[in-house]
Amino acid sequence: MSKEHAFFIYLLERYAEHKGKSTQTVLGEWERLHLTENIVQMYERYHSERLQNAFDDIDEMITSSR
């Protein structure tokens, strides 16, 4: 498993916990909105910042994708 995908799983689990949702629900939403690959590609930025910054960025992507 690549470091990007390992971090993606970590981020998915922390984001789901932060939102009080299951990882399946969050992953389903990200996939439905075609955000999954974009989030994986943000590894360099997300893993070097506070998780809250990644959460805020993901929330913004979700809002703009709807």
Side-chain angles (χ1 to χ4, degrees), residues 1-62:
M1 177 184 303
S2 71
K3 62 184 179 186
E4 290 85 356
H5 284 95
F7 183 77
F8 174 81
I9 293 169
Y10 171 77
L11 181 61
L12 171 64
E13 291 173 345
R14 298 292 75 78
Y15 184 87
E17 181 180 86
H18 175 72
K19 294 295 183 179
K21 298 179 179 179
S22 72
T23 55
Q24 283 297 95
T25 299
V26 170
L27 183 59
E29 182 175 27
W30 290 359
E31 287 180 345
R32 184 173 51 80
L33 297 172
H34 306 285
L35 299 176
T36 305
E37 192 56 36
N38 289 342
I39 293 169
V40 170
Q41 291 179 6
M42 293 297 290
Y43 166 78
E44 290 296 333
R45 178 176 159 197
Y46 289 165
H47 94 281
S48 63
E49 295 183 352
R50 292 182 16 200
L51 276 181
Q52 186 61 50
N53 291 350
F55 296 167
D56 292 345
D57 194 51
I58 292 166
D59 287 343
E60 191 173 308
M61 283 193 280
I62 290 170

